[in-house]
Every structure is written in C-alpha cells, then in structure tokens.
Amino acid sequence: MRATVVGSGVAGLTTAIALQRAGWQVHVLTAAPIETLTSHLAAAVWFPTHAGPPEAVTRWGAHTFDVLAGLAEQPGSGVVMRESLALYRSAPSVPAWATAVRELRPATAQELPSGYAYGLRFQVPLVEMPIHLPWLVDLFSASGGRLRFVRIAALDEVIDDGWSEVVVNCTGLAARELAQDRSVYAVRGQIVRVTNPGLTLSMRDEQHPSGRAYIHPRTADCILGGTLDEHRWDTDVDLAEADSILARCREIEPRLYQADVLEHIVGLRPARPTVRVEESVTGPGRARLLHNYGHGGSGITLGWGCARDVVALATLVS
C-alpha cells in the first residue's frame, strides 16, 4: 500500500506516521522547509481553538491528548505536560474539552491573579514546535518515509503520478487553491516570544477586554499571545498589537516585566467552517484523494485524532 501526503505541517506529518504504523509506504511532499511553516511558529498548547464540528473536535482532541501525553515521556520529543490555568471573570460552565484533560479542578483564590474571581486548573501537553517538528520528520524517515521538496500546481499531479494509491491533502491554507475550497480562510495570529523569568504555569484569558491573552512557558522562553484575526491575510508585525499583548500578559503575570522581548511572530492559521476529513471521488484508475485540513488554531490539538480517521478512510476499501 502506497500513500503520498501533500503537506509537511503537523497535520501532514502525523498523518504520514499514522499511515506508516498501519502498514503503508509513505512519501510526504512539501513546498517549503518545515521551519518556515505555520506549524513551526505555533504556540502549540493542547487547547481546542477555532475548529469544528464540536462532537468531532472533542473526539479528535481526546485521542490527540492521549498520544501527546505518551510522547511527553519520550526524551527529545519536545512535548511536556504543563500545568495550566484558564481564567474567567464570571463563573464558567464545564468546557467541552474537560473530559480529555487531566486533574481538572477549580482554582483556589490563592492561585488566581489579581482581578480574577474564577479559574480552572488542569494539565495539558505543551509542544515546542521547533523541537517537535524535526523530531516527527526523523521518526517518519526512520520508518522508511521519504520527504520530498516539491511544489505542485494541482493535486492531479500527485493523483496521477502512477505511484500513489492514496493521496492525502494536508495543505492547510493552500487547499483554498489546490482543492478549490473557497471556504478556507486565514486566521492571523500574532505572538511575542520573550525570555522566561522563571515561569512554569501556562495561563490564558480568552475573554480579556483588550483581546485574548495567553502565557506559555517553554524550556528557554515564553510565548505570549495573541490575536485571532479572521480573514486577515497579512503577516506584517503590528507593533501596537504587540504592545497590547505584552500589557495584558503582564497584567496577568507581573513577573513578565522582567522578561526581554526576543521576537515578534505572525502566522496564518488555516481555517474553514469545519475541519475537513473526508474523501473526494477521483474516478476509475486514479489514486484516491483524502483530505485533512482546516484545523484553525487547533492543529496540534487535533492532529493525531484526525490522522487516525484518515487511516480508517484509507484502509476502508484498500
């Protein structure tokens, strides 16, 4: 069984590895080095964001959580289990993702920053993508996978290449053109990377009056965010927005006043009304075409769950 995965972001690599584990010989096509991809830029903490449909997101997210928790035990994977605190200004309902996370409980008054009356404590995977993506590539290659740098103009080039039995479209935003899917749109995200002044707790406030705020400590730095700008395609750094991100994150965690700004980062998340994991009919004598894209801000959160569904589709009649 031979499959070609088009796209080498987190969706493409997890799909490729999942197919390998199911017995497939797999090639991955990428148009650019992995360090230039949106996946490489992501803050990458497990947390369902800007993706649907809800029932599938819950299922995909739960499976991905379990896989990432296992990877956190493997040295060099770039995955750690991170204590987290979600902040609220009014009493929260039980979130849909609650069944997947570990040790969910109400935060105590002593654990809450000034100005907050409610919070939820839990533990989730945090993935350092500059470490994790190369680790996935090495894992894929060690199992006989082939990564090819090829820029295609149409998926038909791969469907009709004579080698592939199944082609999996994991092209993210490029699916807007390659799959002629006009429902795909960009969700611009701007973050700030700063030195870590000794933080070990991830914190987030999704309803901050000045915009979303999150603080994700990593090994050698912290990621502060961030924006969720629908249908905005530019990747220019907005310095006023950067100042606002810093201000609201420092409001939550004053120790960030001690942190030095290392870098401003802007990336485009590939969104659509719902994540697309399904097959398109290609016709007799041609490779089958499966899709796995449109994860919005949840690529790392849904990756292994979506990949499992792709494998199920691929093996359905193969």
Side-chain angles (χ1 to χ4, degrees):
M1 299 183 294
R2 301 184 303 275
T4 297
V5 175
V6 186
S8 63
V10 67
L13 290 174
T14 53
T15 296
I17 293 166
L19 284 165
Q20 284 180 320
R21 291 173 174 172
W24 290 75
Q25 184 179 353
V26 185
H27 291 176
V28 170
L29 306 187
T30 181
I34 60 171
E35 62 268 17
T36 67
L37 303 177
T38 297
S39 291
H40 193 269
L41 304 176
V45 173
W46 187 99
F47 196 84
T49 303
H50 209 86
E55 299 82 2
V57 165
T58 298
R59 176 171 54 83
W60 291 328
H63 180 67
T64 302
F65 187 105
D66 291 340
V67 173
L68 291 175
L71 294 182
E73 299 177 1
Q74 298 191 29
S77 70
V79 184
V80 298
M81 296 303 293
R82 176 69 72 210
E83 285 293 324
S84 302
L85 173 60
L87 298 166
Y88 303 91
R89 294 163 193 274
S90 58
S93 57
V94 177
W97 45 262
T99 55
V101 303
R102 296 182 177 176
E103 302 174 10
L104 179 72
R105 63 171 176 82
T108 65
Q110 292 74 24
E111 292 172 327
L112 295 172
S114 175
Y116 291 92
Y118 303 93
L120 293 175
R121 284 290 299 260
F122 49 94
Q123 190 181 75
V124 294
L126 179 148
V127 184
E128 298 198 32
M129 297 305 279
I131 299 171
H132 186 61
L133 280 182
W135 185 85
L136 288 176
V137 170
D138 289 345
L139 184 64
F140 169 69
S141 300
S143 298
R146 182 183 176 193
L147 181 67
R148 298 168 53 201
F149 288 88
V150 178
R151 183 177 294 276
I152 63 171
L155 290 170
D156 285 346
E157 296 175 32
V158 191
I159 293 169
D160 296 322
D161 67 2
W163 184 85
S164 308
E165 297 173 64
V166 166
V167 174
V168 188
N169 169 26
C170 298
T171 57
L173 282 176
R176 184 175 172 87
E177 303 301 331
L178 290 174
Q180 294 297 297
D181 186 348
R182 310 313 288 180
S183 72
V184 174
Y185 62 94
V187 178
R188 180 184 176 277
Q190 180 168 325
I191 58 178
V192 184
R193 188 169 71 90
V194 302
T195 56
N196 188 342
L199 307 184
T200 58
L201 177 68
S202 282
M203 292 187 280
R204 64 172 66 237
D205 177 359
E206 297 286 317
Q207 283 85 42
H208 192 285
S210 298
R212 298 169 70 245
Y214 52 80
I215 302 162
H216 297 316
R218 305 196 301 188
T219 303
D221 56 19
C222 280
I223 299 297
L224 310 182
T227 65
L228 201 68
D229 304 321
E230 292 185 306
H231 302 285
R232 184 172 170 183
W233 291 79
D234 69 280
T235 56
D236 298 327
V237 172
D238 183 332
L239 292 178
E241 182 60 52
D243 288 342
S244 179
I245 291 170
L246 287 167
R248 54 192 188 252
C249 289
R250 287 166 174 164
E251 175 188 329
I252 294 170
E253 176 47 85
R255 282 180 290 177
L256 287 168
Y257 280 104
Q258 305 167 24
D260 296 323
V261 173
L262 299 173
E263 187 178 12
H264 298 285
I265 300 171
V266 177
L268 301 179
R269 305 174 181 95
R272 69 191 302 274
T274 59
V275 178
R276 188 180 188 190
V277 178
E278 63 182 8
E279 181 169 1
S280 290
V281 176
T282 55
R286 310 182 75 203
R288 296 168 59 207
L289 176 61
L290 310 181
H291 301 280
N292 180 14
Y293 65 86
H295 303 89
S298 296
I300 198 65
T301 302
L302 307 180
W304 289 102
C306 291
R308 181 175 64 172
D309 278 12
V310 169
V311 171
L313 287 171
T315 56
L316 194 60
V317 294
S318 294

